[in-house]
């Protein structure tokens, strides 16, 4: 598993937490920061999946 996938998953989780806390507390800035971090995590995770797929193809 590529390190980008791991970091992406962590960023998605933290981002979702920030979004939830921002909604509960009414902190729109924190909520927006959480959504941005979640999106960045999704991108990192996708990049990691691509790297893993390329590695698998090259092994064959």
């Amino acid at each position: 598993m590529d390190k980008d996938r791991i970091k992406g998953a962590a960023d998605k989780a933290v981002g979702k937490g920030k979004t939830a806390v921002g909604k509960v507390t009414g902190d729109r800035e924190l909520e927006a920061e959480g959504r941005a971090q979640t999106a960045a995590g999704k991108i990192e995770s996708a990049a990691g999946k691509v790297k893993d797929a390329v590695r698998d193809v090259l092994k064959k």
Side-chain angles (χ1 to χ4, degrees), residues 3-37:
K3 66 181 177 182
D4 288 333
R5 288 179 75 177
I6 296 167
K7 186 172 183 324
D11 279 342
K12 284 193 302 188
V14 171
K16 286 182 181 187
K18 285 182 180 180
T19 302
V21 170
K23 282 182 182 180
V24 169
T25 61
D27 186 344
R28 290 184 179 197
E29 187 176 321
L30 182 61
E31 187 177 348
E33 184 181 320
R35 288 182 188 194
Q37 189 168 2

